[in-house]
Amino acid sequence: MTRVRYGARTEREIAATRTASARLPGVWSTGVVAVWETDPDAVAAVLPPPLKPAARPLVRVTISKVELPGYPLGAGSFAVAAAHGETDGWYPLVMPMSHERALTGGREVFGEPKKLGEVTVERDGLVVRAALARHGIAFVEVRGAVSGPLPLPEPARRTDFYFKCLPAVDGHGFDGDPVLVHCVRHEKVRRLERITGDVVLRESMYDPVADLPVRDLLEITVGEKTSDQHGRAVERVDPHALLPYLHQRYDDPLQVLDAPPEGSA
């Protein structure tokens, strides 16, 4: 009988998938990073408990082009500085990705707030432009000119905070308690340059990052880096405290309640 492809995989096939994932080669990305100080009240407003504001109200935008084997990937993140207990890190509000493949593991395994979008990183001589766009709106644009090289930083560790959750079938709360995830990345940089330029935040009802304005632009850089990623579920969180923030990851919060007519595909 011809194999039924939706049937169960063998233990050998499952083990092979895990082995292949564990042996992915180091992938280098070219990315633009902008960091600025924003309104502290705005940062506090977007942080679900138990996260708290960090010492400074910082925003960090990363816009990267990743040369994955077989196809290029555009990846972005708009995050605010946050703290969980003694751990300092970043809480991403939106993470546009140019391919669906990059969404699946991030959202389902780690709880990352990833959405399909357009990610642009362009360089023409010294002129650099990077942007995150969705629904025809470039809601973040970083532009400027390279003004000189920067010393390479030592390999560094960075923590991102995510909430992994599953909206309830009946539309009320969650199926199971949400989980706070610490995602730790070890980053290495092989090229880094300073950019003199600016950051433009455009109004978008789908990605309202303009609510975290640029009060003091601290730095813009362009460089090449590679990193690994390891996640850990650190604690279950109060579902009632998280629920008011769930809309951050959907264009329309009501879409999680959409259901096709019975019997339809």
Side-chain angles (χ1 to χ4, degrees), residues 17 27 31 36 43 52 58 64 92 97 111-112 119 126 129 133 144 169 195 203 207 230 244 259 261 264-265:
T17 301
V27 177
W36 67 87
V43 172
K52 296 186 179 300
L58 300 180
S64 300
M97 301 284 139
E112 295 172 327
V119 181
L126 297 179
R129 176 185 176 272
V169 172
I195 292 178
E203 178 58 37
D207 303 288
H230 302 281
S264 65

Side-chain angles (χ1 to χ4, degrees), residues 18 21 42 56 71 76 89 91 101 110 122 141 154 171 173 176 186 188 199 214 223 236 239 256 259:
R18 291 171 179 158
S21 297
R56 296 180 68 186
Y71 66 94
Y91 174 61
R101 181 179 178 184
F110 291 91
E122 300 171 332
E141 183 176 1
E154 292 295 321
H186 296 91
K188 293 188 294 184
V199 176
V214 181
R236 297 195 177 276
V256 300

Side-chain angles (χ1 to χ4, degrees), residues 20-251:
S21 297
R23 294 180 179 175
L24 282 174
V27 177
W28 291 87
S29 64
T30 299
V32 173
V33 178
V35 179
W36 67 87
E37 193 165 294
T38 190
D39 182 349
D41 292 336
V43 172
V46 300
L47 293 176
L51 299 183
K52 296 186 179 300
R56 296 180 68 186
L58 300 180
V59 174
R60 184 177 191 267
V61 167
T62 303
I63 307 173
S64 300
K65 180 172 61 177
V66 189
E67 297 299 336
L68 289 176
Y71 66 94
L73 167 70
S77 172
F78 186 105
V80 298
H84 177 227
E86 299 299 316
T87 302
D88 290 326
W90 298 91
Y91 174 61
L93 299 178
V94 61
M95 300 176 68
M97 301 284 139
S98 61
H99 293 293
E100 184 178 7
R101 181 179 178 184
L103 300 182
T104 307
R107 293 199 67 156
E108 296 185 11
V109 178
F110 291 91
E112 295 172 327
K114 290 184 172 180
K115 298 178 179 181
L116 281 175
E118 298 173 17
V119 181
T120 303
V121 179
E122 300 171 332
R123 179 167 181 171
D124 183 5
L126 297 179
V127 177
V128 176
R129 176 185 176 272
L132 301 176
R134 299 182 66 251
H135 301 286
I137 302 170
F139 59 92
V140 179
E141 183 176 1
V142 182
R143 56 199 185 186
V146 174
S147 55
L150 290 168
L152 296 183
E154 292 295 321
R157 167 181 168 137
R158 193 183 88 237
T159 301
D160 282 349
F161 304 119
Y162 307 126
F163 290 93
K164 184 176 179 178
C165 58
L166 193 63
V169 172
D170 64 6
H172 299 284
F174 302 97
D175 283 331
D177 289 340
V179 174
L180 174 61
V181 172
H182 284 197
C183 181
V184 177
R185 292 180 175 86
H186 296 91
E187 298 181 341
K188 293 188 294 184
V189 178
R190 69 182 181 187
R191 183 178 63 84
L192 192 65
E193 296 172 287
R194 180 187 298 107
I195 292 178
T196 300
D198 60 3
V199 176
V200 178
L201 304 179
R202 294 188 178 89
E203 178 58 37
S204 170
M205 64 178 291
Y206 304 104
D207 303 288
V209 299
D211 292 345
L212 293 115
V214 181
R215 298 293 190 218
D216 182 15
L217 182 58
L218 302 179
E219 67 173 10
I220 305 175
T221 60
V222 60
E224 296 178 2
K225 71 177 181 181
T226 187
S227 66
D228 59 24
Q229 176 172 309
H230 302 281
R232 181 170 64 94
V234 296
E235 68 172 84
R236 297 195 177 276
V237 302
D238 180 355
H240 298 290
L242 179 62
L243 188 60
Y245 298 87
L246 191 62
H247 68 94
Q248 290 179 349
R249 65 181 62 203
Y250 301 108
D251 289 345

